[in-house]
Amino acid sequence: MADTTPQERILELRKELNDHNYNYYILNSPTISDQEFDALLRELASLEAEHPEMADENSPTRRVGSDLSNDFKHVEHESPMLSLGNTYNREDVREFYERVRDGLGGQPFEICCELKYDGLSISLIYENGRLVRAVTRGDGVRGDDVTQNIRTIRSIPLQLRDELPYPARFEIRGEVLMPWESFEKLNAERELKEESLFANPRNAASGTLKLKSSAIVARRRLDAYLYFLLGDDIAADTHFERLQMARSWGFKVSEDVCLAHSLEEIYAFIDLWDEKRSSLPIATDGIVLKVNSLAQQEELGFTSKNPRWAIAYKFQAEKATTRLLKVTYQVGRTGAVTPVANMEPVLLAGTMVRRASLHNEDVMNALDLRIGDYVYVEKAGEIIPQIVGVDTSKRTSDDGERVKFITTCPECGSTLVRYEGEAATYCPNDASCRPQILGRIEHFISRDAMDINTLGPETAATYFSRGLIKNVADLYQLTVADICGGYPSRRLSAHNVVEGIAKSRKVPFDRVLYAMGIRFVGRVAARILARAFGSMDALMAARQDELLRIDGIGPVIAETVVAWCAEEANKQLVERLKEAGLQMEMKEEAPLGDKLAGQVVVVSGTFNMHSRDEYKNLIEKNGGRNASSISSKTTFVLAGNNMGPSKLEKAQALGIRLVTEEEFLTMIDEADVPRQQSLF
Ligand code: IVH
């Protein structure tokens, strides 16, 4: 390092920053904090300023990053989506304030203080009150057209309320977010399926918005806050007034916006939210300060990358240092082995942290850990604690050896395997490795699977230890006498358990298939497979190419399912579950419930996921009534593509809600999740 010339350092920094950009924007998996990234970028910018001979238009300092993905149409923004300059301390905020004051030559000015939402920015175009296009920021000049996915976000109005006259055409920008609640639910589901977890809600929102299936997007419950209204014919002279206007048109605009008239008022806003933001339902990573008057914004103008009239202040990521005591290993339901760092307890963002996942062998090796090391622990976006580095200056010469990933299963002693192209290491002994069996039982009885709520995972584990059950099929042979084991006082609860298990025989086939716990076969895939094949026998006989022809089933699922079905132990399991009387075929679907009771629905247009007739059936099965024409009695219109213009006009005239097919499916599928107020 000592001999590196500035020229060499410039090249080194460019490569490093390009890699970080790729990790962040393409892989959605950053390995350093924004603050560290900005520090590197600043170092590069100052070296480049000193060495103009090294100028390169492809330098990371010349661009604002890109999140383009290949799956969506790329669309050019009508005006570039610029990012904001970042500051990390009060001193920088004061400098911004003074630059604005000097730039405005002593005129009085106001600063609009807002929260900085930690999601991904989106541009929405409205024409005649209807959402016509939604585009991600992309590289700032062009982004991905994600209109279909954005339509599933309930807080984004598809049709504006017309209490106030809105311009015939305008653009509004804001942030798409995954609320903490949805994020935690999603990660819990992923953990159950042993899929990799999202590190924070921003990555989860970004990954979700890039999904090809809008139906899945709809289930993930994204939200959006809007903070920037663009357009010439808007009757407002200040940013603040524009926000109020947008709110009155039905957009979700934060109430936590404040006008500051001095630096002290700005600091007070920062202090307030640094504390209070932890109680918000969504993630924030700072404060945004904007000059309120639009005329003054224009006067101040832009640099090549950022507006001069706005700046972001970023909150400090919570960090702590503690000692690594040991690394332990957890074996999951599918046999995946996860290394876990056990540390001396340390207080971080209000909670005591003792353990942090090291994810897998590669992540662990990259940290180059020794037992006794002082490690930096960070709560990225206040979620799961992560070890982000080692304080090597605190190492002594007699420090131990580098921590090496184990080669045998800590539970059963089998030699571990790592499959090509996979990050995880597995214990292959699925037949008798205890946590794998218990994990499968826990999954089987869980709510979305067989929903045996009279039996919890701990009790199931005691049955396993007592030798009462060895696999899930044994559950159906349990008797009250077995469970009591000579203790009459256990009779009542034993009876409940047996009854709960018996009741699960009625659980429909798609959930039985999900309950089998085939790797990568989540609820949605199980439903698709169950519908496509109709029975377990047909699925067990299916070839890989037949599976691949099904919409929604990719090569990974196809291969895994075929391999699972070919295994002797699984064939026996299926036979025993069949004998136990579980549903192994799709039944003619009985009424699904009364989620649409009393509602009158008009189905109009063409659809992607089901036919019109299927939708009409679904409406009736959920207790609703179909009607062919729109009237004041219509509750909502299930609107597909190419809905007739006269129907559309009539629905608008009568103020009747238009519901997309994604929204409709969510409506009937997940009625147990509290529904948000629709904003149409
Ligand atoms: S205003 C020209 N306001 O932070 C001004 N941005 O680099 C445009 N963000 O790309 C942005 N909360 O994704 C603005 N209240 C807020 C914001 C906000 C979050 C994001 C946005 C932008 C980035 C700044």
Side-chain angles (χ1 to χ4, degrees), residues 83-84 114-117 121 175 227-228 288 290 307 309:
S83 61
L84 300 176
E114 300 168 21
L115 284 163
K116 184 171 186 305
Y117 297 101
S121 38
E175 204 83 353
Y227 47 64
F228 193 35
V288 176
K290 299 172 186 166
W309 45 265

Side-chain angles (χ1 to χ4, degrees), residues 168-340:
R169 189 170 195 290
F170 68 89
E171 178 179 356
I172 188 161
R173 293 179 182 172
E175 204 83 353
V176 173
L177 302 149
M178 184 175 286
W180 288 113
E181 199 182 334
S182 318
F183 170 72
E184 272 148 22
K185 192 169 150 238
L186 175 64
N187 260 356
E189 281 169 17
R190 290 176 77 88
E191 195 167 7
L192 211 61
K193 287 188 253 161
E194 296 201 359
E195 293 171 356
S196 62
L197 301 188
F198 285 112
N200 53 45
R202 174 176 18 87
N203 290 358
S206 154
T208 300
L209 210 54
K210 301 290 175 68
L211 287 172
K212 283 188 205 153
S213 157
S214 299
I216 303 178
V217 179
R219 288 199 189 97
R220 297 236 184 126
R221 312 239 155 211
L222 294 172
D223 201 349
Y225 282 78
L226 285 308
Y227 47 64
F228 193 35
L229 181 58
L230 291 84
D232 294 331
D233 46 356
I234 298 169
D237 300 329
T238 65
H239 172 67
F240 189 82
E241 283 172 82
R242 284 188 170 211
L243 290 181
Q244 313 311 313
M245 222 173 225
R247 185 183 302 119
S248 74
W249 296 339
F251 290 101
K252 187 161 187 167
V253 173
S254 170
E255 299 278 356
D256 304 314
V257 180
C258 218
L259 284 177
H261 303 86
S262 68
L263 201 48
E264 285 63 41
E265 284 178 20
I266 295 175
Y267 290 158
F269 189 84
I270 291 177
D271 289 342
L272 173 73
W273 285 104
D274 203 357
E275 180 83 31
K276 206 171 147 194
R277 70 191 180 112
S278 58
S279 60
L280 291 171
I282 38 86
T284 52
D285 61 341
I287 297 290
V288 176
L289 304 173
K290 299 172 186 166
V291 170
N292 193 30
S293 148
L294 302 183
Q296 290 179 339
Q297 286 185 3
E298 204 167 314
E299 210 173 319
L300 291 162
F302 298 84
T303 69
S304 63
K305 276 187 291 179
N306 309 125
R308 287 201 183 87
W309 45 265
I311 201 149
Y313 166 84
K314 302 270 278 240
F315 296 127
Q316 295 284 323
E318 294 252 18
K319 233 185 208 164
T321 315
T322 185
R323 277 193 101 176
L324 177 67
L325 299 176
K326 61 179 177 183
V327 174
T328 52
Y329 296 84
Q330 270 174 1
V331 184
R333 159 169 75 88
T334 60
V337 179
T338 310
V340 179

Side-chain angles (χ1 to χ4, degrees), residues 185 192 442-453 507 511 514 523 672-673:
K185 192 169 150 238
L192 211 61
E442 186 176 338
H443 172 72
F444 187 83
I445 61 183
S446 67
R447 204 181 91 153
D448 285 349
M450 304 305 283
D451 193 19
I452 306 179
N453 59 11
V507 165
R511 278 173 46 199
Y514 169 67
R523 264 183 65 181
D672 48 342
V673 178

